[in-house]
Amino acid sequence: MASTMRVVKDVSLALARGLADPRIPHSRRWAILGGFAASGLRLAAGMAVGKLGPRPEQRLVLWDFERCPYSRFVREALSTLDLDVEVRPCPQGGTRFRPELQGGGVPRLLDPNTGETLVGSRTIVEHLYRRYGASPPPRLLGLRPVVMVTGVMARFLTAQRGAVARPSRAPEKPLELWAFEASPYSRLARAKLCELELPYVLHNLAKGSKKRKAFVAEAGKMQVPYLVDPNTGARLFESLAIEQYLDATYGAGAA
């Protein structure tokens, strides 16, 4: 409990500092506050790393929809288990990766380490904890009524960000995003990537992640979200800067 309270305090202070920035428009302040409240509904799941098991040799692949409550349950597990994953965004109306689902839904996970393709949040989360965790998955947060109720409330709090596909240009190489599930700022960056159907490698950096030291050595400080675009060499902190970059580089009308 004390560890959880410390994490919540750290995030609350970061949130307060971010909202104090006079450059942030009021609409974005509400989006940030909504994202923070949505994380609260899920008891800050995905904010801190739990007990870990063996690490996968090959990267997992996730067909994901940012606005889907069941996809969120899977992302929480990936964040808690400190697992990186290649994300293939599947927003409403998406044409880039949704056809790969062959009429099925999200979330869907490919684990090349076991040769399995898993469908459905409960099946995926149980697989992740069994293979890569050292404790059982969270039961309360995984109950279907809880997932649905908290998911609907989270949708209301975060409006339509990440919901519907927008025209975009596909990158040659997947982008890379360092983030963690419960971060409201990370959510804004993921929502934009989802809307534009841009594939990316998600490097989870929840509190307690052993990857944080290497990240700070590479990026210069511990702050998320952080985006690297191997197609252009761009490296960006700050969710607003990331969103603006993605729109300008890959959105409709981009060169």
Side-chain angles (χ1 to χ4, degrees):
M1 176 63 73
S3 175
T4 300
M5 291 304 295
R6 284 197 300 271
V7 172
V8 171
K9 182 180 178 180
D10 290 346
V11 174
S12 299
L13 290 173
L15 179 67
R17 287 195 297 269
L19 292 177
D21 189 337
R23 296 171 297 177
I24 297 178
H26 289 296
S27 60
R28 190 171 186 80
R29 292 174 192 268
W30 283 113
I32 295 169
L33 285 169
F36 186 72
S39 294
L41 289 172
R42 297 291 295 169
L43 304 180
M47 184 177 289
V49 172
K51 296 180 180 180
L52 304 181
R55 303 289 81 190
E57 293 183 1
Q58 300 180 69
R59 185 173 292 142
L60 310 173
V61 181
L62 177 68
W63 285 261
D64 174 70
F65 177 24
E66 177 66 26
R67 300 276 296 166
C68 170
Y70 298 106
S71 293
R72 178 170 186 155
F73 184 39
V74 171
R75 294 195 307 268
E76 289 170 352
L78 291 164
S79 190
T80 301
L81 295 174
D82 205 25
L83 295 170
D84 294 348
V85 62
E86 179 186 329
V87 178
R88 297 179 179 178
C90 299
Q92 293 176 5
T95 58
R96 193 163 291 152
F97 298 109
R98 273 194 175 265
E100 296 177 355
L101 299 173
Q102 298 179 335
V106 291
R108 174 177 294 196
L109 182 86
L110 168 64
D111 187 343
N113 303 280
T114 64
E116 296 174 88
T117 297
L118 304 112
V119 180
S121 60
R122 181 172 295 182
T123 300
I124 294 172
V125 169
E126 288 179 351
H127 170 82
L128 293 174
Y129 273 85
R130 183 174 62 253
R131 294 285 307 185
Y132 308 115
S135 63
R139 295 301 177 187
L140 174 62
L141 293 177
L143 293 174
R144 185 179 181 88
V146 175
V147 172
M148 284 302 300
V149 170
T150 56
V152 170
M153 295 178 70
R155 286 183 180 183
F156 174 77
L157 290 167
T158 56
Q160 289 297 309
R161 291 176 181 269
V164 181
R166 295 172 48 203
S168 68
R169 176 175 63 84
E172 292 185 9
K173 301 177 183 177
L175 282 64
E176 297 190 66
L177 180 72
W178 282 259
F180 63 90
E181 177 58 31
S183 162
Y185 299 102
S186 296
R187 182 172 295 110
L188 294 171
R190 289 197 318 267
K192 181 62 67 175
L193 288 161
C194 187
E195 291 173 359
L196 297 178
E197 297 184 89
L198 301 178
Y200 63 100
V201 176
L202 174 60
H203 301 278
N204 278 303
L205 287 176
K207 192 79 170 181
S209 171
K210 294 182 179 180
K211 296 178 290 186
R212 284 194 167 201
K213 185 176 180 180
F215 171 74
V216 171
E218 173 69 21
K221 59 181 176 179
M222 184 56 233
Q223 180 180 325
V224 294
Y226 178 67
L227 181 85
V228 171
D229 186 345
N231 303 282
T232 65
R235 296 172 176 265
L236 301 98
F237 286 106
E238 303 291 349
S239 58
L240 180 57
I242 290 172
E243 291 179 81
Q244 292 173 339
Y245 168 81
L246 294 175
D247 273 332
T249 308
Y250 297 105

